[in-house]
Amino acid sequence: MATPVTLIPGDGIGPSIADATVRILAAAGADVEWDRQVAGMAGVARWNDPIPDATLDSIKRTRVALKGPLETPVGDGFRSINVALRKTFDLYANVRPAYTIVPGRFDNVDIVLVRENTEGLYIGVEHYVKIGDDPKAAAESVAIITRHGSERIVRYAFEYAIANNRKKVTLVHKANILKFSQGLFLDVGRMIAREYEGRVQFEERIIDAMAMHLVMRPEQFDVVVTTNLFGDILSDEISGLVGGLGLAPGANFGTNAAIFEAVHGTAPDIAGKNIANPGALVLAACMMLDHIGDRGRATSIRNAFEGTIRDGLVLTRDLGGTSTTDQFTDAVIARLG
Ligand code: NAI
C-alpha cells in the first residue's frame, strides 16, 4: 500500500524543485501517495495563515512531510512557521548529512550533523534591560539546556550511528566557559556514550577548535552532535565543505512526525526561471524514503543523482553548468534506467 506523505511545495523556487522531486520519485517507482498542502506565502494566499490548520492536520495524519522552502510573511499577527511545526510535532533532532560528490577542496567528506532543535539559546527568551534613562542599555538572552533534551539528542546521535553503520560520534560543546548549561550537555553526553562503549567511538571537541578542525581535516569526522546554536552554524560550515546549499538536505525528527526539507531558502532571485538546482530537495526525499523503509529506491535515486553530477554534462548554474531544472531532472531520470 502506498505510504501517505504530506507535500508542501513551498514558495519561490519551491514549486519547481518540488515538481522535479515528485517526477524523480515517480520514475524510480516510489510507492508514495502525496497529500498536497500549502504553507508560507501560499498558505497566506489561500487561508490567510502561513501554517494553516489543514496542513498541520495532514502532517498529524501522515506523520511524514516533504517541505519546500517557505517565505515567512513580514509583520506581526502571523504565527511563526518553524515554531508552530517544532512545537506541534516536538521536532527535537535536526539531521543534516553532507558528503563529497565531486572532489573539490576536499575529497572524502561524509559527515552527519545532529543538532538539538528545541533548546539552548534559541528558545526565544530575551529582554532588554533598562539602566538609567536608556531602555535598551543591555539585552539578555536565556539559554536553557535540560537533562531530558540532552539525553534524547545524544542518544539519537548514537542510535543513528548504529542504524547507519557509522563508527564515531563527536560531541561539540563549550563547557570550559559555559560550565552549567554546556557542562550539563557534556556530562549527559559522556554518560550516554558509556552505554555505547565498544560499539561506537566517542570523542569531545570544543566548538572553536571544532570550527578549525572542520576546515583543516573534515575527513576525520563522522556523526557530530551538538546544541542548537552551534549546530546552526556548523551545519552551514559543513555544507560549504561539499559544494554549498544546492546539495544540502535536512530532516527534522520528532516524537510525533518527521519533516524533510532542503536547507536553502526560496531563492527569490532565481524563482520562476527554471534554473534552480532541485538537488537538496531530491536528497531530502531520499532521506524520507529511508525513513519510510524504502532504502532501495533511496539508493538508486542517490546513485542516479550523483552520477549526473559527476558526469558534469547536465548541470544547473549553481554547479557550474547551463542546464535548466527540467533538463537536469530529465538527466537524473534517464540514469534511473
Ligand atoms: P536562499 O537560500 O533562498 O538563497 C541564497 C542564495 O543561494 C541565492 O543566491 C539563491 O539564488 C541561491 N540558491 C538557494 N537555493 C538554490 C537552489 N536550489 N539552486 C540554485 N541556487 C540556489 O536564502 P535567502 O536569500 O537568505 O532567503 C530567501 C527567502 O527564503 C527568505 O524569505 C527566507 O526567510 C527564506 N528561507 C526559508 C527557509 C526554509 O523554509 N527552510 C530557509 C532559509 C531561508
Side-chain angles (χ1 to χ4, degrees), residues 17 25 34 49 94 96 98 176 235 262 278 316 318 327:
I17 60 174
L25 264 66
W34 300 109
D49 188 347
N94 182 219
R96 291 184 176 180
N176 51 327
S235 62
T316 47
D318 58 305
Q327 287 165 338

Side-chain angles (χ1 to χ4, degrees), residues 13 67 69-71 245 261 263-270 276-277 318:
I13 59 170
K67 161 177 161 300
L70 302 175
E71 182 181 337
L245 284 175
E261 63 186 350
V263 169
H264 62 72
T266 59
D269 49 336
I270 58 167
N277 177 2
D318 58 305

Side-chain angles (χ1 to χ4, degrees), residues 87-167:
K87 286 201 171 147
T88 310
F89 301 107
D90 193 22
L91 300 169
Y92 66 90
N94 182 219
V95 177
R96 291 184 176 180
Y99 60 98
T100 308
I101 295 179
V102 180
R105 198 170 301 160
F106 303 105
D107 298 347
N108 202 14
V109 176
D110 186 4
I111 300 174
V112 178
L113 182 98
V114 177
R115 163 188 171 192
E116 204 294 320
N117 219 8
T118 60
E119 302 194 332
L121 259 182
Y122 285 13
I123 52 168
V125 178
E126 294 192 294
H127 56 254
Y128 290 112
V129 179
K130 183 176 177 209
I131 301 175
D133 291 336
D134 185 354
K136 292 186 181 175
E140 188 175 40
S141 306
V142 179
I144 301 282
I145 303 268
T146 67
R147 181 174 297 281
H148 167 70
S150 304
E151 266 180 27
R152 69 177 178 176
I153 196 68
V154 177
R155 197 178 295 287
Y156 188 95
F158 276 98
E159 289 296 326
Y160 182 96
I162 286 176
N164 293 279
N165 208 13
R166 299 223 163 218
K167 306 288 174 245

